[in-house]
Amino acid sequence: MAAHLKKRVYEEFTKVVQQQHEELSAKKLRLAKPSKSAALHVDLCKAASPADALQHLLHFARRPVEVESVEGVVRILLEHYYKENDASVRLKIASLLGLLSKTAGFSPDCIMDDAINTLQNEKSHQVLAQLLDTLLVIGTKLTENPPVRMRLVEVACKHLTDSSHGVRNKCLQLIGCLGPVEKGVTKEVESQSAKDVQKIIGDHFNDQDPRVRTAAIKAMLQLHERGLKLQQAIYCQACKLLADDYEQVRSAAVQLIWVLSQLYPESIVPIPSSNEEIRLVDDAFGKICHMVSDGSWVVRVQAAKLLGSMQQVSSHFLEQTLDKKLMSDLRRKRTAHERAKELYSSGEFSSGRKWGDDAPKEEIDTGAVNLIESGACGAFVHGLEDEMYEVRIAAVEALCMLAQSSPSFAEKCLDFLVDMFNDEIEEVRLQSIHTMRKISNNITLREDQLDTVLAVLEDSSRDIREALHELLCCTNVSTKEGIHLALVELLKNLTKYPTDRESIWKCLKFLGSRHPTLVLPLVPELLSTHPFFDTPEPDMDDPAYIAVLVLIFNAAKSCPTMPALFSDHTFRHYAYLRDSLSHLVPPLRLPGRKLVSSPVSPSITPNEDPCQQFLHQSLERVYNLQHLDPQGVQELLEFTIRDLQRLGELQSELAGMADFTATYLQCQLLLIKALQEKLWNVAAPLYLKQNALASAAAKQILEETYKMEFMYSGVEGRQVVIIHHMRLQAKALQLIVTARTTRGAEPLFGMCEKFLQEVDSFQRCFISELPHMQGSFVDKLLDLMPRLVTSKPSEVVKILQTTLRQSTFLHLPLPEQLHRATATIIEPTGESDNPLRFTSGLVVALDVDATLEHVQDPQGTVKVQVLYPDGQAQLIHPKPADFRNPGPGRHRLITQVYLSHTAWTEPCQIEVRLLLAYNSNRSKAAKIPKSTWSDSMEALPPSENGIEGTIPFSKPVKVYIMPKPARR
Amino acid sequence: SFSLGPGAGQDVGRSCILVSIAGKNVMLDCGMHMGYNDDRRFPDFSYITQNGRLTDFLDCVIISHFHLDHCGALPYFSEMVGYDGPIYMTHPTKAICPILLEDYRKITVDKKGETNFFTSQMIKDCMKKVVAVHLHQTVQVDEELEIKAYYAGHVLGAAMFQIKVGCESVVYTGDYNMTPDRHLGAAWIDKCRPDLLISESTYATTIRDSKRCRERDFLKKVHETVERGGKVLIPVFALGRAQELCILLETFWERMNLKAPIYFSTGLTEKANHYYKLFITWTNQKIRKTFVQRNMFEFKHIKAFDRAYADNPGPMVVFATPGMLHAGQSLQIFRKWAGNEKNMVIMPGYCVQGTVGHKILSGQRKLEMEGRQILEVKMQVEYMSFSAHADAKGIMQLIRQAEPRNVLLVHGEAKKMEFLKQKIEQEFHVNCYMPANGETTTIFTNPSIPVDISLGLLKRETAIGLLPDAKKPKLMHGTLIMKDNSFRLVSPEQALKELGLAEHQLRFTCRVHIQDPRKEHETGLRVYNHLKAILKDYSVQHLPDGSITVESILIQATAHSEDQGTKVLLVSWTYQDEELGSYLTALLKKGLPQSTA
């Protein structure tokens, strides 16, 4: 159809008289769709000069083309292509062809022949390259069609001898993307084309132009990605390319070598200039290591990154990467690492006070010293000392990956990682701390290493300190001195940065529980007990003392002899801390005392946590009491809610679940209370006060349901139904209340209609869940639906009222994991008495630092709200880059908020808080298909960032500010 | 060819190298020896020209960096000996060099009272002759000679220079550092493949440990002492390492949120710091990236020192000059603080024998000061070496990067250089030289000679055969015309035209006798079939008149005039086809296969 269309258009404007008989049939189509191609055609014909034509084409390229008319447009373009003498216009046409073939839904096989034909007579290299690019686009759209691919590859092979690098480049790219991957199929299709694509590409490894060489390697990599098994013979060729003059060639060659080493790890290759042979993966590893000291940092980064993923390398090669023989005046010298190790093993503390303790020792045989090793020697030593931090980070990452797979390597690389803790760039420091944490299962820190690690605790960057705390949580320490040292340093950290309290306590908790036997001998010293004398009781509120206790109690958990060393007040403090910081202090079996929480009966299976049991029991109780008198139900609900809230406070792991159910019960309670009012039967306007209560309840239930839906992570479909159901009830309640307070039926009409719509959409959304909701509000409502639709608003309200009262209370099934989103604003602290002064009309930046827990997609949902004293509120969307992800389920927001206001006479406080934005139809909105090429795009409302409402989920922080009037 | 002379060589102390390259004379560095106080401190410039002006002889002078052993003799050379040609150095060197020269002059003339030394005015005049260059900027000294600077690390503004005349080139490294430090990056050079690389070799036999350990040790020691409430004295020289240590401490203070004051003795250093602030592009990645927020050399924690501060209570860190504790402020402070075991002195560099620095480093705890006063040293003494020269590995790395054809080692001790020389020859298979002071080394090169070729000829010749391959030489036919000192390759026709000569053709003809009783044309057919079967890649044609052509070679079969059984094959070719022609004759001489009948 489109072909006809084009023809007609073409004829109309070029006035070819002979074919006029066709015009009639085509005319109908044209009326239906005034084509853009026609306009383009007119433009191109009118164009007086190439520059003019180019302008038209550029203009045309900015507008989308419908799928149906693509072919017509292509034909017109081709027509002009043949007529055009100016290369630049032809170039633009060629690029437009490619662009058009990309149109979704358009199958370009019909224009392929024409596109290939255009290649024949083209003289300009640039246009040729562009045409090949177009063919590439066509080819990638027709990957399912082997003959077409074969044909394109042949065309590409033909042009490989072109003298322009651009053309050769594109040819190779084309071969790489479309070349046959399965050998068998190739032969069937065309016996002659069975020529080896790899060989064709391989021939261009020695091309005179570096760009073509790069393209050849990239094409090879492309083939590999598409699943072709590369031949091992390429390896030698690739090795030669490592010494290329151009960095992009070297960089690509490194990749190729890596690919080959993964394909043929166990093949044997000879070592040049000797008779030995080694495994290919080792050889490749050595070669890539060599590239870590390349002249170009791009290559260095590339090489360092790839090293990390070479897991099959023999261990002695791996260990060589950390090896660097030192010498001074031809005498062997020990590295600082070796010295430290020796001092450690000889039992001496590192003094470092002697001059010349690093004096060189034995003489070196000059012949044996290899200054530039061809092997892997010292690759990481170089990489970690590199000038560019990109290389250093890549090296640290590679170290991490290799160490994770090889414990012995992990042990060896420790010294180097520890060294990286003092890098000048914070990112590198952070990265190396994270790396260390990842490999910490494989290692035990020596005391001198621990010393260096701990020195970083004083870093002023919170990120670094927290990463370090995380690291210490999972570190193995070898001696009791080490533990003591760690404790001392952590306490020092605590005094210097009191805000780190929680993090440090958590760190000590793990440190204690990991090393009970090492803590044991330290206990008397730590608690400063004395065998004969009573010592004064320490201050219970001292964070440092709490820190010590956390360490000891956690150690005591698996060390039953420890409590014997406690003094009386320690036991008292234990009881207090067990209650107030239950997440840090474990239950202990203390002599003469029973375990605080519950009597341990052997009948309970270990996986059944008593708290969890309690939760379920209390819920069962609630659900079972369907037909108690209203008073009783209310009381029971109130008690249960209180219990659950307390449980949430005590058991942090159950907090989400407990809060969630408590909220649900709260909603139910509110609903019952609202319905219990006896005054419903009385004429409404007299009881405004009572109405206020009911409408407030409805409002609160609505709010709570939004919280339940969006503030908890791990909410599943079944819970969502219940929540929506509750919301529906609240809306019904709202409707009833409004009906009773408003006079006249007009406003009610609209409301009723809206409500019924919602019921309808509820039914549509959750149709699968309806069978589970026997006897519920919505179940009854749906039965009555035919009646509701036809009846008057006042009747609807009546029906609703009775249904609401009769409906039963739905079970809330609990999901496996449920966490409540929380946020804590660390900065600003809100304690400052100094107002932040700035000139009115200008802005001041306020640093906001907050931790978010269990927030899904914080980039999209978390907003900062600033409330000014005049009631003005400002909502700030932080940049996605301001969120960091230090651990699973945890996020950290570090952003700047810009404040501005008109002048005040007095400094005053503003409130800053975090909000969780939600949009209940977000999921639905995403389903609307986006029409890419349509002009009607602008007509659509921007539904993307529609925020339906927000939930505050952090405590507000007050900031004292003072906008001064501007001085003139 | 190159030749070299007169200073430097196997000696650390005074750099001055003379290079003659393709008829151009370049002087590399113009240093002085700090150890001498007589004429020996300056290079002997009479060595260059016995009589005649230096300006006429030298095409340019290049200074690699501002250390006095590389630029100290410059005013003497240009103003007192007399040189008016261009002097090249980088911008930072040009800025800092006169400060150091002036300081040096003051010490020598004003303090030691020497005469016959250059004056302030001479330094100024000398600096006027300096042309400043940017990194990687190709400077055309004259029509043939060009120079280019590469980053060298070592100190601010240090550069390596590539000197190029025609297709011959030399790279002179000056002093360089292949490992980055806290304020400077690592030396870098592209694969310029010079004919000769002149490299310093101070640490020819040393492979150094990672810098991080030393830095960490240093910081730990300072930190511990300050935490104890002690005072730390760090004697330094004004430029170079001092800045590195400042940056190190400054960032550490920043990171660890420390409050103890750090002082820096005023004077020269302040001026130098000012230049460090300006030449941010010459520093390392970290400083370059962060200077938009804050220039790292605008120290937050480091303040200027006042004499009175030394008596202040509480911890502090003081950088003071000079570095060997032999005089001046550093010694004064040392005497004040030596008695307290809480304090510490850190020697960041080498100390010459006889200085207080050397004494305390070698463990003396009781020092005899002037006036028979005995000073008991109770403070801790630490040694930290921060050197900014490339070690053996670094030198090898640079050679690997530049891929020179010859290497020449200077600025090192003969014995150590011997080791490195052997290593270089072994690893890279290039010649390595290590001339002594004043010795001249001559290196022969294989210069490639450029020849102009007309595009038409080039296209025609490349069209024949395969695509040009960069790795393989290609045979071309043409006429080489040498005229007016230029070489041109032109097509034979054009050459003939230009020279006004007529073209002559040269043909070789050869007769081959074959025993074949058949008729002439049958023989011709047999020959044709035979050749066709063998020469698949050539166009073999059988012409209607019975003759055969292979490409442009003609073969005719005729019966022998006497013996009809013998056929004579006449093979004729032009001299251009000599190769194919002789191959054919050889082929035909072997006779025809019998089976073809």
Side-chain angles (χ1 to χ4, degrees), chain A residues 323-380:
Chain A
D323 191 32
K324 190 181 180 187
K325 298 259 181 312
L326 300 190
M327 61 175 193
S328 173
D329 287 351
L330 284 180
R331 275 178 300 168
R332 173 93 173 83
K333 207 171 134 179
R334 289 163 313 146
T335 60
H337 292 152
E338 288 168 329
R339 289 204 303 277
K341 202 169 181 173
E342 229 162 80
L343 276 172
Y344 169 73
S345 50
S346 70
E348 229 181 301
F349 266 106
S350 170
S351 67
R353 302 259 153 71
K354 268 181 282 173
W355 180 51
D357 71 341
D358 62 344
K361 297 277 153 60
E362 70 264 49
E363 291 269 347
I364 284 182
D365 172 22
T366 50
V369 182
N370 215 357
L371 285 181
I372 288 245
E373 288 89 344
S374 46
C377 266
F380 278 119

Side-chain angles (χ1 to χ4, degrees), chain A residues 45-101:
Chain A
C45 285
K46 273 195 292 190
S49 65
D52 239 10
L54 205 56
Q55 276 307 316
H56 288 306
L57 285 171
L58 283 172
H59 186 67
F60 176 74
R62 274 183 221 120
R63 297 197 324 246
V65 177
E66 308 80 27
V67 175
E68 308 86 59
S69 52
V70 167
E71 193 176 346
V73 174
V74 167
R75 304 246 169 249
I76 289 169
L77 286 174
L78 282 170
E79 198 66 38
H80 283 276
Y81 177 87
Y82 287 118
K83 279 191 275 176
E84 189 56 63
N85 292 325
D86 189 79
S88 57
V89 179
R90 288 210 305 279
L91 184 73
K92 185 66 204 169
I93 291 178
S95 87
L96 270 182
L97 289 182
L99 212 64
L100 285 169
S101 337

Side-chain angles (χ1 to χ4, degrees), chain A residues 207-495:
Chain A
D207 197 280
Q208 58 171 348
D209 195 289
R211 287 163 289 197
V212 180
R213 290 200 292 272
T214 317
I217 303 173
K218 291 236 167 95
M220 202 61 109
L221 289 169
Q222 181 81 34
L223 281 178
H224 164 72
E225 252 166 55
R226 290 178 49 224
L228 180 72
K229 188 158 190 197
L230 302 183
Q231 293 153 0
Q232 202 197 326
I234 302 171
Y235 183 70
C236 311
Q237 281 179 293
C239 288
K240 281 188 200 117
L241 287 171
L242 285 180
D244 201 278
D245 281 8
Y246 292 84
E247 64 177 24
Q248 70 266 43
V249 182
R250 291 199 301 268
S251 159
V254 169
Q255 265 177 314
L256 186 59
I257 296 240
W258 178 79
V259 164
L260 287 165
S261 78
Q262 300 299 302
L263 283 176
Y264 305 97
E266 299 301 329
S267 306
I268 299 293
V269 287
I271 303 174
S273 79
S274 83
N275 298 327
E276 285 170 66
E277 290 181 328
I278 51 170
R279 293 162 69 218
L280 191 139
V281 66
D282 289 340
D283 189 52
F285 186 73
K287 291 206 157 73
I288 297 181
C289 281
H290 200 51
M291 298 311 276
V292 175
S293 47
D294 191 85
S296 149
W297 69 271
V298 183
V299 181
R300 294 203 296 267
V301 172
Q302 177 80 270
K305 271 190 186 146
L306 291 178
L307 282 183
S309 47
M310 300 182 80
Q311 312 277 1
Q312 301 107 314
V313 178
S314 326
S315 59
H316 86 277
F317 268 92
L318 203 55
E319 276 152 27
Q320 268 186 30
T321 54
L322 296 175
D323 191 32
K324 190 181 180 187
K325 298 259 181 312
L326 300 190
M327 61 175 193
S328 173
D329 287 351
L330 284 180
R331 275 178 300 168
R332 173 93 173 83
K333 207 171 134 179
R334 289 163 313 146
T335 60
H337 292 152
E338 288 168 329
R339 289 204 303 277
K341 202 169 181 173
E342 229 162 80
L343 276 172
Y344 169 73
S345 50
S346 70
E348 229 181 301
F349 266 106
S350 170
S351 67
R353 302 259 153 71
K354 268 181 282 173
W355 180 51
D357 71 341
D358 62 344
K361 297 277 153 60
E362 70 264 49
E363 291 269 347
I364 284 182
D365 172 22
T366 50
V369 182
N370 215 357
L371 285 181
I372 288 245
E373 288 89 344
S374 46
C377 266
F380 278 119
V381 180
H382 284 291
L384 294 175
E385 269 184 50
D386 199 275
E387 169 178 21
M388 311 297 284
Y389 84 94
E390 291 90 343
V391 183
R392 296 199 297 268
I393 285 201
V396 169
E397 274 165 10
L399 263 188
C400 170
M401 288 167 78
L402 289 172
Q404 271 173 326
S405 60
S406 157
S408 67
F409 184 71
E411 195 72 42
K412 287 220 163 58
C413 75
L414 214 55
D415 277 322
F416 294 90
L417 271 181
V418 171
D419 275 352
M420 294 308 283
F421 284 17
N422 285 317
D423 195 272
E424 54 188 343
I425 297 205
E426 181 174 326
E427 235 172 308
V428 182
R429 294 201 295 267
L430 203 56
Q431 182 70 42
S432 36
I433 295 175
H434 284 316
T435 299
M436 186 104 138
R437 186 185 40 142
K438 283 182 199 148
I439 62 170
S440 56
N441 298 332
N442 288 340
I443 52 168
T444 304
L445 282 181
R446 285 202 318 266
E447 218 164 289
D448 57 304
Q449 288 164 338
L450 190 69
D451 197 32
T452 325
V453 171
L454 292 171
V456 186
L457 275 175
E458 284 194 50
D459 203 295
S460 59
S461 152
R462 199 185 146 101
D463 277 341
I464 295 265
R465 290 198 312 270
E466 272 176 7
L468 210 62
H469 294 155
E470 295 264 326
L471 165 66
L472 286 176
C473 281
C474 45
T475 312
N476 301 319
V477 180
S478 51
T479 58
K480 78 173 166 65
E481 283 81 13
I483 293 281
H484 192 229
L485 198 65
L487 180 67
V488 169
E489 291 292 331
L490 281 169
L491 292 181
K492 223 194 253 177
N493 174 358
L494 190 63
T495 42

Side-chain angles (χ1 to χ4, degrees), chain A residues 649-907:
Chain A
E649 282 164 28
L650 282 179
Q651 282 305 76
S652 58
E653 58 266 36
L654 285 179
M657 207 115 44
D659 280 349
F660 188 68
T661 40
T663 318
Y664 179 64
L665 295 181
Q666 180 73 37
C667 288
Q668 190 65 35
L669 181 64
L670 282 167
L671 192 66
I672 291 173
K673 269 190 187 163
L675 291 172
Q676 287 300 309
E677 296 294 333
K678 292 195 178 86
L679 303 163
W680 278 105
N681 305 328
V682 189
L686 301 175
Y687 299 98
L688 276 173
K689 183 183 165 237
Q690 180 265 330
N691 280 334
L693 190 145
S695 70
K699 220 169 160 189
Q700 199 185 341
I701 295 172
L702 276 181
E703 261 173 39
E704 298 288 338
T705 55
Y706 281 120
K707 273 190 197 169
M708 283 170 76
E709 190 176 352
F710 297 105
M711 260 178 75
Y712 292 87
S713 63
V715 179
E716 290 163 12
R718 291 181 303 160
Q719 286 86 40
V720 176
V721 184
I722 309 269
I723 294 166
H724 275 259
H725 182 249
M726 181 53 84
R727 195 176 299 158
L728 207 61
Q729 281 173 309
K731 279 179 180 159
L733 184 65
Q734 226 169 14
L735 185 64
I736 297 166
V737 174
T738 332
R740 293 192 69 89
T741 45
T742 19
R743 290 189 175 278
E746 265 72 59
L748 274 182
F749 261 121
M751 285 185 70
C752 276
E753 196 140 317
K754 211 174 151 214
F755 179 73
L756 289 179
Q757 270 176 13
E758 288 198 29
V759 175
D760 193 44
S761 73
F762 181 87
Q763 191 193 4
R764 268 187 285 115
C765 286
F766 305 109
I767 188 111
S768 59
E769 297 284 341
L770 284 179
H772 303 294
M773 306 177 75
Q774 293 294 330
S776 68
F777 172 67
V778 84
D779 190 42
K780 287 182 176 157
L781 210 57
L782 287 175
D783 288 343
L784 297 170
M785 204 58 180
R787 243 182 83 197
L788 283 172
V789 179
T790 49
S791 38
K792 274 189 257 170
S794 54
E795 272 178 64
V796 175
V797 170
K798 250 177 219 156
I799 297 168
L800 282 180
Q801 199 173 333
T802 41
T803 334
L804 209 53
R805 284 190 180 198
Q806 285 163 5
S807 60
T808 51
F809 174 35
L810 274 179
H811 256 252
L812 179 70
L814 283 178
E816 293 288 306
Q817 280 291 324
L818 201 58
H819 294 290
R820 185 192 161 106
T822 50
T824 328
I825 300 181
I826 302 161
E827 219 176 309
T829 47
E831 287 159 3
S832 171
D833 288 333
N834 292 329
L836 206 58
R837 291 174 194 279
F838 62 99
T839 308
S840 69
L842 301 181
V843 288
V844 66
L846 178 70
D847 287 307
V848 174
D849 184 350
T851 51
L852 315 170
E853 297 213 22
H854 306 298
V855 182
Q856 291 160 315
D857 179 33
Q859 285 89 343
T861 53
V862 175
K863 313 283 168 211
V864 183
Q865 191 186 36
V866 179
L867 278 173
Y868 292 96
D870 57 357
Q872 198 185 338
Q874 192 190 353
L875 199 64
I876 294 123
H877 310 259
K879 289 188 295 257
D882 290 339
F883 293 93
R884 299 182 201 186
N885 192 355
R890 281 170 53 212
H891 286 273
R892 182 133 179 249
L893 172 66
I894 298 172
T895 188
Q896 280 197 326
V897 170
Y898 296 110
L899 308 174
S900 185
H901 211 277
T902 47
W904 298 347
T905 50
E906 300 277 298

Side-chain angles (χ1 to χ4, degrees), chain A residues 85-185:
Chain A
N85 292 325
D86 189 79
S88 57
V89 179
R90 288 210 305 279
L91 184 73
K92 185 66 204 169
I93 291 178
S95 87
L96 270 182
L97 289 182
L99 212 64
L100 285 169
S101 337
K102 270 187 203 158
T103 316
F106 171 71
S107 170
D109 41 2
C110 47
I111 61 163
M112 195 185 72
D113 288 325
D114 300 281
I116 293 178
N117 283 338
T118 50
L119 284 171
Q120 237 109 64
N121 299 320
E122 186 53 65
K123 289 281 179 293
S124 158
H125 295 300
Q126 273 177 308
V127 182
L128 216 48
Q130 188 60 55
L131 281 171
L132 283 163
D133 194 51
T134 305
L135 287 181
L136 179 63
V137 173
I138 294 175
T140 38
K141 282 209 82 176
L142 298 172
T143 25
E144 302 312 312
N145 190 347
V148 169
R149 266 176 21 205
M150 281 316 303
R151 208 164 142 220
L152 290 175
V153 168
E154 263 172 60
V155 170
C157 291
K158 215 163 40 187
H159 284 93
L160 267 179
T161 47
D162 197 283
S163 60
S164 154
H165 68 89
V167 179
R168 293 206 300 275
N169 233 337
K170 284 287 170 205
C171 287
L172 287 166
Q173 208 178 333
L174 212 131
I175 296 175
C177 289
L178 304 174
V181 174
E182 321 81 11
K183 279 235 163 119
V185 179

Side-chain angles (χ1 to χ4, degrees), chain B residues 14 25 30 36 38 57 106 110 150 199 271 414 543 567:
Chain B
R14 174 181 64 179
N25 297 314
C30 189
Y36 298 119
D38 49 20
F57 183 75
K106 252 189 225 156
D110 299 353
Y150 291 96
S199 170
K271 257 192 224 164
L543 299 179
K567 296 287 177 304

